[in-house]
Amino acid sequence: MGTTQLETVPEPKYWHLKTVLSEALDSEFSVGEILPNERDLAARFGVARATLRQALEQLELEGRLQRRRGVGTTVAPPRVGVAVGTEQHAWPGLAGDVWQPADCVQAAPPAAVAAALETAPDEAVHTVRRSRVSHGQPVAAELLYVPASSVPDLSAIDAPSGPARARAVLRELHRLELEGRDSSVELGSARADDAKELDRLPGAPVLVVTTRFLAAGRTAALSVATYRADTCRLTFGDSGGVEIHQTPERRAS
Amino acid sequence: MGTTQLETVPEPKYWHLKTVLSEALDSEFSVGEILPNERDLAARFGVARATLRQALEQLELEGRLQRRRGVGTTVAPPRVGVAVGTEQHAWPGLAGDVWQPADCVQAAPPAAVAAALETAPDEAVHTVRRSRVSHGQPVAAELLYVPASSVPDLSAIDAPSGPARARAVLRELHRLELEGRDSSVELGSARADDAKELDRLPGAPVLVVTTRFLAAGRTAALSVATYRADTCRLTFGDSGGVEIHQTPERRAS
DNA sequence: CAGTGGTCTAGACCACGGA
DNA sequence: CCGTGGTCTAGACCACTGC
């Protein structure tokens, strides 16, 4: 009738809040700047703290914000592009590899890994832990599973564990001829150990890159790499990848 | 002194809850089965509904659960692998392409896209909307930006918009020689329009795949594809990719 | 219309970081 | 020690689905 339609679809408060904050971040804040604390922000927008947090959570998921307990909420730098698809035909650990070997133990892998490696569920495999750092920040943690059959000549004189052992396993692996590899990317949440290494809380969103290395007609090694989803943009292909900042839908301008 | 240390690091309730639920899903439920509602579940575990929801949220993020308002919470099938890296040297829309052209308009793209295409910020480009379906479910929505200079001979007799127009733009694009392409993957949250097409709520987690198509020494087209993060595993490389179900850390068994 | 998940509130206490 | 973000509670109402 005479009433104008105020809101056909009442937008959730946290969604609207996210839009407002996002625009404020673009125009009024610079990278690294610290925001008012959550209680103040909530009061300023006239919402409960939980609602404000729902908006902040999404912005953090999108890599716009960084929150740290005991410190505060800061404006995050643009996501860093990390190459994961280059050197399609190189083994891990060759010269120029960005990964840093941290440790190596021999243990029974998770069932799914054993299945992919075609080893018995309780058969121990070499498990190399590596970490990846970019711009001074840890961006990824990796577990590389190498069945004993892929490195038959691994010398017993090497250390039984530790970085030296890790390098020894990689060195032996390089003696095989790499026939190909394939990868997959999916969303996951950080396990406790990965979270610690990535300087995040357990459950933080991560991009899990699983890579299978093929040699001698079978899976010679399997890598499960966990990247921080908030700070990383994974790049594949010929060159560095594109930096597209996914903008929210345009308002009538 | 005599007291045993009950919990050195008191695990958050929702984290423990998630572990318990996850194990129950493995052993006591089958795919598609519907769980008790949130109020009952919360009561059963003796926690507030918000806490229970925090656990469910994570499990949904990991693709273990599927929640739908008005319906309930069901056990999700394993993530479907969708190939995004094959045909490294093919244009979009060639025979065999899994994408379905939905529409095409001519409009000014977001600023970041204009920058990548090296067009003026207010210059209109062909914007093709396509959708991708797998196993009967929508898995991705794409916006393909094609500057007018990439399709100079686009006939005026074609429809000004709609699927026919989209096919015409793609057809013209194929006349260029593709020199290469690169992609990047990052985490995002679904915009309202994408969310609708993907049958999710706005803000749902998505994997954003940005692909740049290179021809004649510049970016001839740019694709921004939004995949459902809860149901998809993106695969790259030689073959189909590996199915690794990232298991939480082992408890002493 | 009844039942589901989604949003929101106004509190409380805890864990962590830095001064 | 104080201030921060992280967890948790016990409610309330809303939007959607299917009967």
Side-chain angles (χ1 to χ4, degrees):
Chain A
M1 323 288 201
T3 65
T4 61
Q5 204 156 6
L6 286 179
E7 281 289 343
T8 322
V9 178
E11 212 172 31
K13 278 190 185 177
Y14 78 91
W15 184 259
H16 180 242
L17 209 51
K18 180 189 143 186
T19 307
V20 172
L21 283 170
S22 180
E23 287 166 1
L25 289 180
D26 287 332
S27 60
E28 296 169 37
F29 289 88
S30 50
V31 169
E33 204 173 339
I34 187 167
L35 268 63
N37 73 54
E38 297 184 350
R39 290 163 180 85
D40 285 353
L41 273 181
R44 183 176 312 188
F45 287 107
V47 299
R49 189 176 156 222
T51 305
L52 187 268
R53 276 180 61 80
Q54 207 170 345
L56 293 184
E57 218 157 278
Q58 285 228 354
L59 288 171
E60 189 177 30
L61 203 78
E62 295 174 23
R64 308 286 313 272
L65 292 180
Q66 194 150 349
R67 297 190 288 176
R68 268 180 305 171
R69 170 155 50 179
V71 181
T73 302
T74 55
V75 181
R79 284 198 174 123
V80 47
V82 290
V84 297
T86 52
E87 309 175 24
Q88 277 292 336
H89 297 85
W91 283 110
L94 282 177
D97 196 331
V98 293
W99 290 90
Q100 183 96 24
D103 195 9
C104 177
V105 298
Q106 197 153 4
V113 172
L117 292 176
E118 297 175 44
T119 60
D122 55 352
E123 182 185 335
V125 304
H126 302 287
T127 306
V128 178
R129 242 203 183 285
R130 302 196 298 168
S131 62
R132 181 169 179 173
V133 172
S134 181
H135 299 78
Q137 298 292 334
V139 294
E142 181 203 44
L143 284 178
L144 180 67
Y145 299 98
V146 182
S149 57
S150 292
V151 286
D153 299 332
L154 189 61
S155 166
I157 64 170
D158 288 306
S161 67
R165 178 67 163 189
R167 281 187 291 270
V169 169
L170 290 172
R171 188 204 330 122
E172 287 301 309
L173 194 57
H174 299 162
R175 297 169 63 153
L176 294 176
E177 189 187 355
L178 181 61
E179 290 167 353
R181 65 185 228 184
D182 50 48
S183 308
S184 73
V185 179
E186 62 186 311
L187 181 59
S189 49
R191 302 192 318 269
D193 53 348
D194 291 328
K196 191 172 182 181
E197 190 159 349
L198 297 176
D199 194 24
R200 299 260 63 197
L201 289 179
V206 292
L207 296 173
V208 181
V209 180
T210 308
T211 304
R212 188 166 48 164
F213 295 91
L214 304 173
R218 58 180 190 76
T219 303
L222 187 75
S223 155
V224 179
T226 300
Y227 289 81
R228 282 184 62 154
D230 55 344
T231 58
C232 292
R233 202 182 76 246
L234 308 183
T235 66
F236 294 82
D238 305 336
S239 57
V242 209
E243 179 166 340
I244 293 297
H245 179 350
Q246 170 134 342
T247 46
E249 53 262 82
R250 292 327 177 74
R251 314 216 150 270
S253 59
Chain B
M1 302 291 225
T3 65
T4 61
Q5 204 155 5
L6 288 179
E7 281 290 342
T8 321
V9 179
E11 212 173 32
K13 278 191 187 179
Y14 79 91
W15 186 259
H16 180 243
L17 209 50
K18 180 188 143 187
T19 308
V20 172
L21 283 170
S22 181
E23 287 167 0
L25 289 181
D26 287 333
S27 59
E28 296 170 36
F29 289 88
S30 50
V31 169
E33 204 173 338
I34 186 168
L35 267 63
N37 72 54
E38 296 184 349
R39 289 161 180 87
D40 285 354
L41 273 181
R44 183 176 311 188
F45 287 106
V47 300
R49 191 178 154 218
T51 305
L52 185 267
R53 277 180 62 79
Q54 207 170 344
L56 293 184
E57 217 158 277
Q58 284 227 355
L59 288 171
E60 189 177 31
L61 203 79
E62 294 174 25
R64 308 288 313 273
L65 291 180
Q66 193 151 351
R67 296 189 288 176
R68 268 181 305 172
R69 170 155 49 179
V71 181
T73 303
T74 56
V75 181
R79 283 194 174 127
V80 47
V82 290
V84 298
T86 52
E87 308 174 23
Q88 277 292 335
H89 297 85
W91 284 110
L94 282 178
D97 196 331
V98 292
W99 291 90
Q100 185 94 26
D103 195 10
C104 178
V105 299
Q106 197 151 5
V113 171
L117 291 176
E118 298 175 44
T119 59
D122 54 352
E123 181 185 335
V125 303
H126 302 287
T127 307
V128 178
R129 239 200 185 287
R130 301 195 298 168
S131 62
R132 181 169 180 174
V133 173
S134 182
H135 300 77
Q137 298 291 334
V139 293
E142 182 203 42
L143 284 178
L144 180 68
Y145 299 97
V146 182
S149 57
S150 292
V151 287
D153 299 331
L154 189 60
S155 165
I157 64 169
D158 287 307
S161 67
R165 178 66 163 190
R167 281 188 291 269
V169 169
L170 290 173
R171 191 206 327 126
E172 287 301 309
L173 194 57
H174 298 162
R175 297 169 64 151
L176 294 175
E177 188 185 358
L178 181 61
E179 290 168 353
R181 64 184 229 183
D182 51 47
S183 308
S184 73
V185 179
E186 63 187 310
L187 182 58
S189 50
R191 300 191 321 268
D193 53 348
D194 290 329
K196 193 172 180 181
E197 191 158 350
L198 297 177
D199 193 25
R200 297 260 66 198
L201 290 179
V206 292
L207 297 172
V208 180
V209 181
T210 307
T211 304
R212 187 166 50 165
F213 295 91
L214 304 173
R218 58 181 190 76
T219 303
L222 187 75
S223 154
V224 179
T226 300
Y227 289 80
R228 282 184 62 154
D230 55 343
T231 58
C232 292
R233 201 183 76 246
L234 308 184
T235 67
F236 295 82
D238 306 335
S239 56
V242 209
E243 177 166 343
I244 292 296
H245 178 355
Q246 170 133 340
T247 47
E249 55 262 82
R250 288 332 178 67
R251 313 212 150 272
S253 57

